[in-house]
Amino acid sequence: MDFSEKVFTVCRSIPWGKVVSYGQIALLCGSPRQARRVGYVLGHVQPKKGEDIPAHRVINSQGYLSGAEAFPAADSQRLLLESEGVCVSENQRVDLKKFGWLPSEQEIEALRRCFEGGEGVKH
């Protein structure tokens, strides 16, 4: 599985109402220093036809919304997050302690198996 596919797999695994940072996705993909590459993938690489990637759940490591250019309108990411119950402050920040996704050991293992081509994450 290439890096882009791994990024999309992790993004599809983010639970409804939770957010994750670019760096956390890179770490889960096995490339901890590739946070900017995750951003590039989400902004420039097209997923397979018919795949829904909830990229609105990806924010920067400080909790700020940072993908405005990837959405049809400047406030799209905020609106999508708020529709899932995620509180976004006036300064476009999410409380990572409250809404950040911390995958369980089982979820991490499922991602690893999926990356290796075996059974893993169910979508």
Side-chain angles (χ1 to χ4, degrees), residues 58-94:
V58 183
I59 61 177
N60 78 19
S61 63
Q62 304 303 307
Y64 289 101
L65 307 188
S66 56
E69 65 280 348
F71 297 95
D75 62 345
S76 293
Q77 185 177 21
R78 178 184 58 79
L79 293 172
L80 287 165
L81 288 171
E82 289 177 344
S83 75
E84 294 184 6
V86 175
C87 296
V88 180
S89 70
E90 286 183 28
N91 65 345
Q92 304 298 298
R93 193 171 189 183
V94 173

